[in-house]
Amino acid sequence: LIEQILHNEDHIPHFIEVGGFDLLLDLALWSTMPGGRQVVAHISCLSSPSISNVTHSSTSSTLSAAVKTIATHHDPQKLIKLLAAALESRILHLNICIKALRNDRISDDAEKFMCDGLTERIPCVPLHDIQESEGNSTLIHNLSTLFRSIISVDWLVNSLATVVKAACQRSNDAGVGLGRSEREWKKEISSKSFENLINQLSLLHRSALAEVCKVRTEPDYDQRELVRNRRSTQQLVYKIRIVCQEGAIVRNGIDIDDCENVGNLEMGEIVEAYDRCINSSGVLRYQTRRGWVSEQTRGHGRDQIAEILDLRTRTGSIPFLATSVINKNLKRIECGIPDLRSTCASIMSRLHGSQVNLFSSLERFMVSGIRASSLRDRSQNQSNSINSHVQSLTRILSTNLKKDFEFIPKCGSLEGAGIDTTSKVSSDAAICMYYGNIFNLFHACLYEEKRERRFFNTPLLLNFLALGGWKAGIFEVERDDKIDPITTECGFISAIRFVLQHSLQDVECFAIKEKSTQHENVQIAKQDGESHHSLHQRVSRVVASSFPPVLSLLRRLMSRSLLIDSQMSTILTKMKPSDLEFLLSNVVTPDKTNQTPSFNAYCFTRELHLKLAEVSFNTLSDRRFAFAPAHIVYPWMNFMGEIISTLEEAGKPKQITNTHENPTSSRARSPLSELSDYNQRLARNLSSMSVLLGRPGARPIERSTEPFEPSESSIARLSEMGFTRDHAIEALESTGTNRVEIAMEYALTHPPSSPATRERRRAAREERRLQRERLISSLVERSSNADRNATGRESSFVNDNSAPEPSSNTDEHTETNNDTQARNSIDNDVATSNAVADEKEKLQEEIKMEKEMAVNAKRYLDSIKESFTRISLNIIEGSSKVEI
């Protein structure tokens, strides 16, 4: 019914007015998943509870599609308000569920950590081993309400991200101008209530993530997983229901492609299954009386086919047909039932995926707002072009990311919270796993790749680093206040160092275990006379989950093109100081008046690369790196090669042009600019001559601002890429630069304008061309008239000297005016010369500092090149001979 109503776009406003969206949220929260023991059984039997569909696929997919349709065609302000209100209510309900499951064992002082200690009351046994009792029934009831509350928060957060993405896309399609409805919903995004909501979600996310990492790094967790993945002697009965609209296909074997179709099960049909396993395609299969059915469909969608209604231990015998199929020797992967504590951790980890989705949508909205602000600044020449919602989103994202990196030390150091401190996230393994997930979130906020286009959120990185005390390239630094990038440390760099050091320790421990195991196999082979070969795990699940996100983030941060040559860096470089200060308002506070924001892309990139290179090279030079397996050594050595190439570029000083001594060195000057300069110099000379000759009142001619004109070479290069000439000119004019890569990004993100708009732009260009011609003619004529006037003044000055002297009153008045104007002219000249001298001195100081930083980078590069070669040879030739 909802699909039919929303199929017509005209129905959407009426649907919202009568409260249809509120009822849609109620359907999503209460009508798409079961309750009680059934939801616990269903989630326990999922092959991957962290990412699988935990609700009825058809219903949840329909409601999610309805939210997306409404967000695409309706004012997002009301939708955001409704979703925010629903989220606040569900977070409150989730907090009540956590207290009920924890039995209020945490005091109010520690309540800010929300999920801390949540899993301690949950037993490490599977559902079918829970004995029936009143206490266990209460436990199952509390678990079911907790699972439903977490799933509902997860769905609402994803829906909010969908609304923000749809609103951002509508804003990009609308262009630079701000309509009334757009202003309203952007005002809602920048409101204090929305910021408080995001802060609550972030707190919930980081506390749930810390609890998940604590569970998955418990000493007996690996042993429990090992037991689960073995063939169990305990016989179970799975009560399943078909929830797919097309039904389920029953086959006579595990592998789908190699088995025959022996029947079908209709939607809603309930059957019993007596075994389950994972086939070679990675699909979980259930074995019924008639044959095998799949849990989910194959492919990208992974839609749910069957859901578990109950799970119990079998007491009777296996049906005849099931026995004949079970005893076949098939290639299968065992998949037992996890314990309830692990299941709860898997459900809580879903909040990480929704948080990444929400932060990615907010980051995309922030970047589009900064781009629109830069275009609006050039078109309207506003004093402050950064909108409040951009500044608010920058503050929200950077502040919460900083809290994410600082949460684990605070959580681990809490005492007197009513819980034993040894049960907190205090182990290095749990901290390392936590940081790995936070790095994944941080990477999603900084980098986005879409259809061969790469976007890097440099403003967010600046804000985040500045909150941690980073100054190089962000603030103006006095020469006496030097910053050493090797010794400067901030939160996320410390986290990178911690993850890498723990990874080295981990691979060394596994190397020692493997060495001892090989020795035992050799002894057994000598006794039996046969060779024994076994595959051993080389790294732990902690390193497998934390090392790849760190390496991926380091690769992005070490990319010189993303930090210097990107469109966002160009916008920041051209940004006015007031806009940059407004963007960094959460860092630049009134009590920090000595911090003047001034973005220097080259300085910032060089200092950041030096710091990251130092952290990376320390990892490579550690003796434990020789124990790392090939799938860690190979990508890390490739990354070190990228670091050396990046530092070679950092060792080249940036060419800083002295515009006072050589104004034409940076780029060729147009005839209009030369005539404007000549006209200004001529006006100043005429004004000074008028003062000397007693002709006050002459005013210098204002220097006209040279309008931007696209170069033919840039137009030609864009045309070679496949863009039309009009589209290329529009991209160059909109970005205000002749840099092809920036104009290309704009052209890819903005389709060609309509024929009427193109015609209007052509008329505007023609009008500017005529104005330039008239201005050039006027300047030439004015300069010739000035020459004639100067000749006439000289002859008049000679005649005035031969004429009789004027009266005393007139002479005194004239001398007074002449003296006043002469003094003003001298003062202005002195002030101008002082300003020019200060600017030259500052420029020389900048050139000197740039050369010093480039020399330092080159010196550090030379120091690690030799060590890098020596370490590489040691790894290739002698890694097997390293003493353990």
Side-chain angles (χ1 to χ4, degrees):
L1 181 61
I2 292 177
E3 285 181 335
Q4 294 178 3
I5 292 174
L6 301 181
H7 183 71
N8 190 342
E9 299 177 5
D10 296 335
H11 295 165
I12 295 179
H14 305 287
F15 181 80
I16 300 296
E17 290 175 3
V18 298
F21 193 77
D22 300 304
L23 298 179
L24 188 148
L25 295 181
D26 289 338
L27 282 174
L29 298 180
W30 303 111
S31 304
T32 60
M33 70 188 79
R37 181 185 175 90
Q38 182 179 340
V39 68
V40 179
H42 173 57
I43 294 176
S44 298
C45 294
L46 288 175
S47 57
S48 181
S50 302
I51 57 177
S52 299
N53 289 323
V54 294
T55 58
H56 296 278
S57 296
S58 58
T59 307
S60 61
S61 299
T62 300
L63 296 178
S64 299
V67 171
K68 187 175 182 179
T69 302
I70 294 172
T72 306
H73 300 92
H74 192 70
D75 181 16
Q77 180 193 9
K78 188 172 183 179
L79 303 183
I80 293 176
K81 282 186 175 182
L82 293 175
L83 286 171
L87 268 172
E88 290 178 355
S89 174
R90 298 314 302 168
I91 291 175
L92 181 62
H93 182 266
L94 177 59
N95 197 18
I96 296 175
C97 296
I98 292 173
K99 286 184 177 181
L101 191 60
R102 239 174 3 200
N103 198 17
D104 289 328
R105 295 189 307 117
I106 290 186
S107 61
D108 294 337
D109 295 337
E111 188 175 323
K112 58 181 180 180
F113 295 114
M114 298 182 74
C115 297
D116 192 14
L118 171 62
T119 58
E120 292 183 358
R121 288 289 304 275
I122 303 176
C124 296
V125 293
L127 176 64
H128 56 271
D129 288 340
I130 297 293
Q131 301 295 327
E132 294 186 1
S133 64
E134 183 178 355
N136 290 336
S137 299
T138 303
L139 172 66
I140 298 301
H141 172 74
N142 292 337
L143 271 179
S144 65
T145 54
L146 176 69
F147 290 171
R148 286 168 59 91
S149 185
I150 292 176
I151 293 169
S152 61
V153 171
D154 174 67
W155 188 87
L156 287 172
V157 172
N158 285 319
S159 299
L160 180 60
T162 300
V163 173
V164 173
K165 288 179 182 178
C168 181
Q169 185 62 40
R170 290 178 59 186
S171 178
N172 293 337
D173 296 340
V176 178
L178 289 176
R180 176 181 170 277
S181 60
E182 187 172 358
R183 286 195 300 268
E184 291 297 327
W185 79 265
K186 288 183 177 180
K187 185 178 179 181
E188 179 66 27
I189 289 290
S190 59
S191 64
K192 193 66 177 178
S193 59
F194 185 81
E195 182 177 355
N196 292 334
L197 174 63
I198 301 300
N199 292 338
Q200 291 182 23
L201 291 174
S202 299
L203 177 59
L204 172 63
H205 162 255
R206 67 178 71 101
S207 61
L209 184 60
E211 192 70 14
V212 170
C213 295
K214 185 185 73 172
V215 171
R216 293 182 175 177
T217 54
E218 290 177 344
D220 59 340
Y221 181 80
D222 290 335
Q223 184 63 28
R224 298 200 306 264
E225 285 294 298
L226 185 62
V227 173
R228 186 175 74 89
N229 293 327
R230 290 176 180 173
R231 187 72 179 266
S232 177
T233 57
Q234 191 176 21
Q235 304 297 331
L236 302 177
V237 177
Y238 307 88
K239 187 177 182 181
I240 65 176
R241 177 169 55 192
I242 307 302
V243 295
C244 182
Q245 289 184 347
E246 290 79 12
I249 299 176
V250 183
R251 298 184 183 273
N252 62 353
I254 296 174
D255 291 329
I256 299 176
D257 297 329
D258 299 334
C259 299
E260 297 179 358
N261 183 354
V262 295
N264 295 291
L265 294 175
E266 300 296 332
M267 178 180 176
E269 190 171 349
I270 298 176
V271 295
E272 288 186 348
Y274 307 98
D275 189 20
R276 75 175 197 165
C277 64
I278 298 176
N279 62 12
S280 58
S281 301
V283 179
L284 180 63
R285 304 272 285 169
Y286 286 93
Q287 193 250 345
T288 65
R289 292 173 180 267
R290 299 169 57 184
W292 293 84
V293 295
S294 299
E295 176 203 29
Q296 296 176 339
T297 59
R298 289 188 296 179
H300 178 69
R302 291 283 183 175
D303 295 329
Q304 201 78 15
I305 295 179
E307 68 172 0
I308 304 298
L309 300 180
D310 198 6
L311 169 67
R312 299 193 182 274
T313 303
R314 187 175 69 245
T315 55
S317 60
I318 304 175
F320 175 76
L321 183 59
T323 305
S324 62
V325 180
I326 271 183
N327 293 333
K328 287 186 177 180
N329 186 15
L330 299 173
K331 183 179 180 181
R332 52 185 283 163
I333 301 174
E334 299 300 328
C335 183
I337 306 300
D339 58 273
L340 292 179
R341 183 178 295 183
S342 301
T343 303
C344 181
S346 299
I347 286 296
M348 291 169 64
S349 65
R350 298 178 67 91
L351 297 175
H352 177 68
S354 60
Q355 186 78 356
V356 170
N357 191 17
L358 177 60
F359 271 41
S360 299
S361 64
L362 296 178
E363 176 270 337
R364 185 183 304 178
F365 185 34
M366 168 191 166
V367 171
S368 63
I370 294 178
R371 288 176 179 168
S373 300
S374 64
L375 297 178
R376 184 166 56 252
D377 183 26
R378 285 193 292 269
S379 61
Q380 301 178 7
N381 194 23
Q382 296 181 356
S383 58
N384 189 4
S385 58
I386 301 295
N387 289 329
S388 59
H389 74 276
V390 175
Q391 188 266 346
S392 177
L393 289 177
T394 307
R395 181 182 65 254
I396 291 173
L397 293 176
S398 59
T399 303
N400 282 291
L401 286 172
K402 182 175 181 292
K403 291 180 180 179
D404 289 340
F405 281 103
E406 297 175 348
F407 178 74
I408 282 292
K410 289 183 179 180
C411 182
S413 62
L414 260 187
E415 295 183 1
I419 292 181
D420 184 9
T421 55
T422 59
S423 65
K424 291 187 176 294
V425 186
S426 56
S427 67
D428 290 348
I431 297 174
C432 185
M433 181 179 288
Y434 173 86
Y435 279 148
N437 288 274
I438 296 301
F439 281 125
N440 182 26
L441 174 63
F442 191 34
H443 184 274
C445 293
L446 290 180
Y447 181 78
E448 180 183 5
E449 188 170 0
K450 185 178 181 181
R451 298 180 182 177
E452 301 181 357
R453 291 177 290 162
R454 302 189 305 169
F455 304 102
F456 193 82
N457 196 340
T458 308
L460 179 60
L461 180 62
L462 296 183
N463 246 287
F464 176 76
L465 291 178
L467 284 175
W470 188 279
K471 293 183 179 180
I474 305 177
F475 300 99
E476 291 185 358
V477 181
E478 299 295 336
R479 183 169 180 80
D480 298 334
D481 187 19
K482 291 185 178 180
I483 297 177
D484 186 4
I486 304 301
T487 59
T488 303
E489 195 86 344
C490 56
F492 98 102
I493 294 180
S494 301
I496 291 176
R497 193 187 301 275
F498 180 87
V499 171
L500 295 178
Q501 291 299 316
H502 180 80
S503 300
L504 293 175
Q505 180 182 356
D506 183 85
V507 297
E508 183 184 22
C509 294
F510 274 91
I512 295 174
K513 292 180 182 178
E514 183 179 9
K515 189 76 173 181
S516 61
T517 305
Q518 289 178 355
H519 180 72
E520 293 176 0
N521 291 337
V522 171
Q523 297 297 328
I524 296 174
K526 289 181 179 180
Q527 296 176 3
D528 299 343
E530 299 178 357
S531 61
H532 290 262
H533 300 281
S534 60
L535 298 177
H536 299 281
Q537 185 179 358
R538 301 296 302 275
V539 295
S540 65
R541 67 176 70 247
V542 176
V543 176
S545 64
S546 59
F547 182 80
V550 170
L551 180 58
S552 178
L553 179 63
L554 287 174
R555 286 184 182 275
R556 303 304 180 196
L557 294 177
M558 289 300 296
S559 175
R560 190 175 177 86
S561 59
L562 289 178
L563 292 178
I564 293 181
D565 300 330
S566 63
Q567 181 186 12
M568 196 57 59
S569 295
T570 304
I571 292 174
L572 288 174
T573 304
K574 295 182 178 180
M575 189 175 290
K576 292 179 289 189
S578 59
D579 290 343
L580 189 59
E581 183 174 356
F582 182 71
L583 194 62
L584 300 173
S585 59
N586 61 323
V587 180
V588 183
T589 55
D591 57 338
K592 298 180 181 180
T593 54
N594 57 335
Q595 294 185 356
T596 303
S598 178
F599 178 66
N600 187 331
Y602 285 88
C603 176
F604 172 76
T605 303
R606 181 186 290 113
E607 304 302 297
L608 180 62
H609 286 174
L610 283 175
K611 185 60 186 179
L612 297 179
E614 182 263 337
V615 176
S616 304
F617 183 73
N618 287 346
T619 303
L620 179 67
S621 59
D622 196 298
R623 67 171 185 84
R624 297 171 294 181
F625 188 78
F627 304 135
H631 60 271
I632 289 182
V633 174
Y634 180 73
W636 193 259
M637 297 300 286
N638 284 339
F639 172 61
M640 292 303 301
E642 297 175 6
I643 289 179
I644 292 177
S645 301
T646 302
L647 291 182
E648 287 177 351
E649 293 295 326
K652 301 175 183 178
K654 173 189 174 184
Q655 299 297 327
I656 302 177
T657 306
N658 191 339
T659 56
H660 296 286
E661 297 178 357
N662 188 13
T664 60
S665 60
S666 60
R667 62 182 179 92
R669 298 177 64 80
S670 64
L672 176 61
S673 179
E674 293 178 357
L675 283 174
S676 299
D677 290 342
Y678 170 75
N679 178 64
Q680 189 178 22
R681 292 194 302 271
L682 180 62
R684 287 199 300 267
N685 293 336
L686 291 178
S687 178
S688 301
M689 188 179 296
S690 298
V691 173
L692 292 175
L693 298 177
R695 300 281 197 276
R699 296 182 179 178
I701 301 175
E702 296 287 341
R703 178 174 180 177
S704 60
T705 303
E706 180 183 0
F708 171 77
E709 283 297 327
S711 64
E712 287 297 330
S713 60
S714 300
I715 297 175
R717 290 182 61 186
L718 289 173
S719 300
E720 293 174 357
M721 298 178 184
F723 300 104
T724 62
R725 180 177 177 84
D726 290 333
H727 197 188
I729 294 175
E730 178 184 349
L732 293 169
E733 289 181 345
S734 299
T735 56
T737 177
N738 280 313
R739 295 183 61 177
V740 178
E741 62 274 9
I742 297 178
M744 180 186 66
E745 290 185 8
Y746 180 88
L748 289 173
T749 55
H750 295 76
S753 302
S754 61
T757 304
R758 290 198 298 268
E759 187 63 30
R760 187 170 62 254
R761 288 180 177 271
R762 289 196 192 99
R765 287 195 296 271
E766 182 66 20
E767 181 64 25
R768 289 198 300 270
R769 186 185 65 81
L770 295 177
Q771 289 180 358
R772 285 197 304 272
E773 292 180 355
R774 289 195 295 267
L775 181 58
I776 292 174
S777 301
S778 174
L779 291 175
V780 173
E781 182 180 358
R782 196 173 299 174
S783 62
S784 59
N785 293 336
D787 291 337
R788 290 195 296 269
N789 293 336
T791 305
R793 288 193 182 93
E794 290 177 359
S795 60
S796 175
F797 179 71
V798 174
N799 295 332
D800 289 343
N801 289 337
S802 61
E805 296 183 358
S807 62
S808 59
N809 293 335
T810 303
D811 184 60
E812 291 177 358
H813 180 71
T814 304
E815 288 180 359
T816 302
N817 291 337
N818 291 343
D819 293 341
T820 303
Q821 294 218 0
R823 283 195 300 270
N824 293 337
S825 179
I826 293 173
D827 293 340
N828 292 335
D829 292 341
V830 170
T832 303
S833 61
N834 292 337
V836 172
D838 293 340
E839 187 174 351
K840 285 185 178 180
E841 183 179 358
K842 183 179 179 181
L843 183 64
Q844 293 298 328
E845 193 74 19
E846 184 179 354
I847 293 174
K848 190 173 181 180
M849 292 182 65
E850 177 69 22
K851 290 181 179 179
E852 289 181 0
M853 289 187 294
V855 169
N856 293 335
K858 191 175 186 305
R859 187 182 299 115
Y860 183 73
L861 173 63
D862 295 337
S863 67
I864 69 172
K865 270 187 176 180
E866 182 180 355
S867 301
F868 177 72
T869 305
R870 175 174 49 82
I871 294 171
S872 301
L873 292 176
N874 291 338
I875 292 175
I876 295 173
E877 297 176 357
S879 60
S880 60
K881 301 178 182 179
V882 178
E883 293 290 338
I884 298 182

